[in-house]
Amino acid sequence: MDRLSNTVRPYAWGSTTAIPELLGIAPTGEPQAEMWMGAHPGAPSRLTRATGAGEAGPEQPLTDVIAADPERELGRATVEKFGPRLPFLLKLLAAGAPLSLQVHPDLAQAEQGYEDEERRSVPIDAPHRTYKDANHKPELICALTPFAGLCGFRRPTEAAEAMAALGVDSLKPYVDLLGAHPEEAALREVLTAILSADPAEMAETVNLAAAAAERLGGAHAPYARIAHHFPGDPGVIAAMLLNYVELQPGEALFLGAGVPHAYLDGLGVEIMANSDNVLRCGLTPKHIDVPELLRIVRFEATDPGVLRPEASPSGEELYETPVDEFRLSRFDLSPGADPVELTRGTPQILLCTAGAPKAGTVGLTPGASVFVPSGEKVEVSGTGTLFRATVVA
């Protein structure tokens, strides 16, 4: 197995303290939003693999290691199912401010959208480019600290009640629409109206709604906090259409295609299919493609579905999801317990989030991770918490 060196991404919404505290290092004062573990070309993990003579070789990106021998690193079944690349990306995610309100396409939509933009020769790095690849992007976030987010539409009647309670006249048309149509039509019409509103008028509505939410507090307090970070942004009003969720450590959310969501605050372990495809609804200065967004969003009220891991006799606690590109589980290792065998015919990344466990002979500390090639024998022992990321192949 190989100890990984990982890149921390300094996105503006990132916490300045959460990842440094986990790693046990001094904060830099700059946002540290995500630490990436995997083989995404934007920031692949790096490793130093011993040569045949037993000496340390040069540091190299995990992308290059996999490309040199995909079947050896990933296993035949993984390559046959997903192609010669690691299908998932594992992250530490530390939100100090809201992320953009967003949705992800399903696989067919991603393929169609990517082919369309390629045909129209939209540069891959253009600010208005939506589809960076032809893959879908289901994802799972597991809380390490109390973690707040928005996930999926709530019932139109609940959204209408939340808006009406603010007493803002310019919200009344949305309240009326939410009560006048069946669920799908009501949610579609209101989100469309919010995103299509005159920017100056919407900014005034947001400011009035934020002030009212501040006064009311309670269930309205999150909207005041969101507006503090994004004054005048229509995403503040769109957020009232969604379920507000607070996760406790160990709890998780699965985000499938077409489900609008935003992470607001907290530290978590995130895993996703290896894709960059994001369509934004608000809480961002970035490009919003309203027609394409409305094509992708699933306008249906849903329960956010908080996940808790299911334990097995081996001590593995699995977060069940309906996708094959990733499989996330957790091990809480106790002092004096027998080592746990983790050898598997698929690639794995092991991430320590607490304590000082060992993977084989490799000692780990919080934030440290290792890549385990397919079929490589590995046992974990010691004391602490390990997350295991792999695939279903």
Side-chain angles (χ1 to χ4, degrees):
M1 74 192 75
D2 305 284
R3 186 185 294 273
L4 295 178
S5 176
N6 304 305
T7 298
V8 175
R9 309 306 293 262
Y11 305 135
W13 50 261
S15 168
T16 59
T17 59
I19 289 178
E21 285 178 0
L22 182 72
L23 299 179
I25 61 176
T28 65
E30 298 298 318
Q32 298 190 40
E34 295 180 346
M35 186 172 79
W36 289 19
M37 291 156 280
H40 191 286
S45 297
R46 302 169 303 283
L47 56 87
T48 301
R49 182 165 286 181
T51 65
E55 300 175 351
E59 185 176 71
Q60 53 188 322
L62 182 55
T63 44
D64 290 357
V65 172
I66 291 172
D69 194 347
E71 195 165 302
R72 163 69 185 90
E73 304 297 333
L74 305 179
R76 178 176 297 178
T78 301
V79 173
E80 289 178 350
K81 190 167 186 177
F82 302 106
R85 67 186 193 117
L86 191 66
F88 63 84
L89 176 64
L90 184 67
K91 299 179 180 180
L92 282 172
L93 184 147
L99 283 68
S100 61
L101 190 59
Q102 59 189 257
V103 297
H104 306 303
D106 63 26
L107 188 57
Q109 291 165 338
E111 291 172 345
Q112 181 181 356
Y114 181 77
E115 291 172 3
D116 175 64
E117 290 188 315
E118 287 289 282
R119 185 174 60 252
R120 292 187 286 114
S121 300
V122 180
I124 198 71
D125 57 352
H128 61 286
R129 173 95 186 209
T130 297
Y131 294 95
K132 305 299 178 67
D133 52 68
N135 200 16
H136 63 164
K137 192 186 177 187
E139 61 191 41
L140 177 80
I141 184 77
C142 177
L144 295 179
T145 67
F147 193 97
L150 303 169
C151 178
F153 288 111
R154 56 182 172 178
R155 294 183 182 88
T157 53
E158 295 175 359
E161 289 172 3
M163 290 185 183
L166 296 173
V168 175
D169 289 343
S170 51
L171 289 177
K172 190 173 185 305
Y174 306 141
V175 173
D176 292 343
L177 282 172
L178 287 167
H181 300 285
E183 178 178 286
E184 180 179 353
L187 294 170
R188 179 183 293 275
E189 289 193 31
V190 173
L191 183 61
T192 302
I194 291 169
L195 297 180
S196 305
D198 176 81
E201 293 178 1
M202 176 53 70
E204 177 65 15
T205 296
V206 171
N207 292 337
L208 292 171
E214 184 76 35
R215 289 193 304 271
L216 289 172
H220 288 85
Y223 309 118
R225 293 197 298 269
I226 294 169
H228 171 75
H229 292 285
F230 293 95
D233 192 298
V236 176
I237 307 302
M240 297 182 190
L241 300 174
L242 306 184
N243 296 296
Y244 175 74
V245 184
E246 290 185 344
L247 301 177
Q248 296 307 308
E251 295 180 336
L253 287 174
F254 173 74
L255 290 312
V259 177
H261 61 278
Y263 303 143
L264 303 178
D265 182 71
L267 175 67
V269 174
E270 185 182 37
I271 190 167
M272 61 187 61
N274 206 346
S275 171
D276 269 342
N277 290 326
V278 176
L279 291 98
R280 296 175 176 86
C281 315
L283 309 183
T284 178
K286 295 182 179 180
H287 175 66
I288 298 177
D289 184 341
V290 174
E292 184 65 8
L293 171 72
L294 297 175
R295 187 178 77 88
I296 298 302
V297 171
R298 293 182 178 176
F299 290 98
E300 58 184 17
T302 59
D303 184 302
V306 174
L307 296 176
R308 295 170 182 85
E310 297 185 10
S312 70
S314 69
E316 182 179 33
E317 298 179 328
L318 175 64
Y319 293 90
E320 289 279 3
T321 67
V323 298
D324 291 345
E325 283 87 350
F326 59 77
R327 179 185 186 277
L328 185 70
S329 59
R330 186 183 69 183
F331 293 85
D332 285 322
L333 303 171
S334 302
D338 292 336
V340 180
E341 173 78 27
L342 298 188
T343 306
R344 187 177 172 93
T346 55
Q348 303 180 73
I349 291 178
L350 305 180
L351 165 67
C352 172
T353 58
K358 284 187 174 182
T361 59
V362 179
L364 299 175
T365 55
S369 58
V370 294
F371 173 71
V372 184
S374 168
E376 193 76 17
K377 181 176 175 60
V378 57
E379 289 184 340
V380 295
S381 60
T383 305
T385 302
L386 276 177
F387 281 83
R388 177 201 217 184
T390 185
V391 304
V392 180

